[in-house]
Amino acid sequence: MIASDLRIKYDSLVKSLVISVFSAILAYLLVFLYTNFATLYFAYDFDIPALINLQGIKILTDSSMDDWSRDALVTILLSKPIAATIVGIISLIILMIGTKKPISIIILLFWLNVFAFNTAFGIIIDDAIAKSGTYQVALAMDIGIFTILVLSFLMISILYKIGMMNGRLIINSFPHQNLTYFKNRVVFFMVIFIIPWFMVMIYTYLSGGASVPISEMIKNLPVLVLLLPFLTAEKIKNVGFKYIPTVKHSKIDLFLSIIFVVLSIVLIFVINNGISITV
């Protein structure tokens, strides 16, 4: 009986790993496309030609950002983190709604809010180091170092709270993994979170989204703040909690996983061809 339970448990873990990898890649691409399109739209609104490719947003003008108006600088450079924050909040709220969801949807919503919040805050960290992008916005808005430090502390606190909420939701959504036991939680953390995360970073590097691996790691630091609270999060003490109804993965998960793969391939193809707005 114990051997049978272990077989079911690890079989479920492997299936969840496959779903998590597909979901993480799709979630990253969706966040990438939406947030960069927001920048593209506002760039077009200010008559600044731009293009979206696998490396991100590319400004197609010889003029530097110093020649932009203050409104253009602030609007265009802040559009990406603001758009990412909106995606993160919406996906987290949907994940929190206590309805029965397939495992694939739960994991997709999880990765959507993780990569969305990582995009929102990771770009700020990367820009601060490179002294470009949102760093220039801070200079244009005369934001002092003290304010930046306070906002940084607030940012870390918010990310930690979001990570704790995600952790509680995942623990209650996978009752068959017995995640109240720390050993099981560590295994789940490494298999379902860390491996897919590294797969996404490898894809980003190979696609040219990061010039060097260190740069990609820096931009992904908020991911760690979002994931690590899972290891210490407590189970939601709510007897009415019914996020996932069964132990076994359903045929819906298989169907959705295939859709995730197809959508990812389509998005990569579309983005690789370049996206721009023309009159």
Side-chain angles (χ1 to χ4, degrees), residues 225-266:
V225 182
L226 288 164
L227 295 183
L228 286 174
F230 169 79
L231 296 175
T232 57
E234 296 180 359
K235 184 178 180 181
I236 298 176
K237 298 177 181 179
N238 182 356
V239 294
F241 188 100
K242 294 180 180 178
Y243 279 78
I244 187 166
T246 59
V247 172
K248 295 182 180 180
H249 295 72
S250 65
K251 291 182 180 179
I252 295 177
D253 291 310
L254 174 61
F255 176 72
L256 289 175
S257 296
I258 295 173
I259 291 179
F260 292 169
V261 174
V262 173
L263 282 177
S264 297
I265 294 173
V266 170

Side-chain angles (χ1 to χ4, degrees), residues 87-215:
V87 173
I89 292 173
I90 292 175
S91 55
L92 181 59
I93 290 175
I94 296 175
L95 181 60
M96 291 172 61
I97 296 175
T99 57
K100 295 180 179 180
K101 306 179 185 72
I103 290 177
S104 51
I105 295 298
I106 292 173
I107 297 179
L108 177 63
L109 289 170
F110 167 79
W111 282 120
L112 274 173
N113 82 73
V114 166
F115 286 127
F117 287 120
N118 177 68
T119 299
F121 297 109
I123 192 174
I124 296 175
I125 297 173
D126 194 50
D127 287 349
I129 295 173
K131 293 186 178 181
S132 63
T134 51
Y135 177 83
Q136 291 176 285
V137 174
L139 293 179
M141 298 179 69
D142 295 323
I143 299 177
I145 186 65
F146 177 76
T147 304
I148 292 176
L149 290 174
V150 172
L151 291 175
S152 298
F153 177 78
L154 181 62
M155 176 187 76
I156 295 173
S157 300
I158 292 173
L159 286 175
Y160 177 80
K161 292 293 185 182
I162 294 172
M164 189 64 70
M165 177 56 68
N166 272 329
R168 290 173 177 172
L169 292 171
I170 293 297
I171 289 171
N172 281 70
S173 297
F174 290 82
H176 49 288
Q177 291 296 332
N178 296 320
L179 296 177
T180 52
Y181 295 99
F182 186 72
K183 181 180 178 181
N184 294 345
R185 194 177 300 192
V186 170
V187 172
F188 189 92
F189 177 82
M190 296 302 298
V191 174
I192 307 302
F193 293 166
I194 299 301
I195 293 178
W197 176 41
F198 272 106
M199 294 293 290
V200 170
M201 285 198 293
I202 290 172
Y203 158 77
T204 306
Y205 178 69
L206 293 177
S207 65
S211 56
V212 292
I214 294 178
S215 174

Side-chain angles (χ1 to χ4, degrees), residues 75-86:
T75 303
I76 294 172
L77 295 182
L78 287 185
S79 58
K80 185 172 183 177
I82 291 175
T85 301
I86 293 173

